[in-house]
Amino acid sequence: MSAGTLGVEGFAQDSAAQNHPRMRAGYTSISAGTMNRLVAAIAADVFNVPLTEVRAGVHDQSGQVSVSLAVPLALHPAAEVFGGTVFERAASGRQRVANSIEELAGSTVSRVDVRLTGIHESDPRNAGRVQ
């Protein structure tokens, strides 16, 4: 263990690790339902739509995470962050979802499939109105 020294609890410690809380022995697991909700919440944030309008499925694909999302397309000023065509917005969203899952859950994401299920308008006065 040339990168650090063994600590009191048997964990390798280097100068960067000494600034963080001490590690404890044990494990943490994330249930399938929790992972589905986490991915749905990430997708709702990324696609800027309410969580209630997002459906997410998480599957194991040879040790990596495979995600399927069903989300509406946001049509409001905040949606302009993506820009471009519907397909470009979906591609950008897929990448952001994968990055967030890897950052928050520590899981490697092999694929993210997005199915656009409709239109979400944030201004209810314009919803359903033909322009």
Side-chain angles (χ1 to χ4, degrees):
M1 294 200 173
S2 60
T5 60
L6 286 179
V8 174
E9 293 142 337
F11 290 101
Q13 296 179 344
D14 58 16
S15 61
Q18 292 174 359
N19 296 331
H20 292 40
R22 296 171 73 147
M23 299 289 292
R24 297 282 180 228
Y27 69 93
T28 302
S29 64
I30 302 174
S31 71
T34 301
M35 192 67 169
N36 283 339
R37 294 291 292 170
L38 174 64
V39 170
I42 289 169
D45 184 52
V46 166
F47 287 96
N48 204 15
V49 296
L51 179 58
T52 57
E53 295 187 26
V54 175
R55 289 188 313 275
V58 179
H59 311 282
D60 179 66
Q61 187 174 20
S62 303
Q64 296 182 332
V65 175
S66 173
V67 176
S68 58
L69 297 171
V71 298
L73 178 65
L75 290 182
H76 46 79
E80 299 305 317
V81 172
F82 292 121
T85 68
V86 170
F87 295 106
E88 291 168 339
R89 288 181 184 191
S92 176
R94 278 195 314 267
Q95 187 60 48
R96 290 179 58 201
V97 166
N99 291 344
S100 294
I101 292 169
E102 289 177 2
E103 181 180 330
L104 292 173
S107 299
T108 304
V109 179
S110 63
R111 67 181 296 133
V112 177
D113 297 325
V114 175
R115 183 168 49 102
L116 298 173
T117 58
I119 303 295
H120 172 75
E121 289 188 70
S122 63
D123 187 355
R125 293 175 294 164
N126 294 330
R129 187 180 300 174
V130 176
Q131 297 181 9

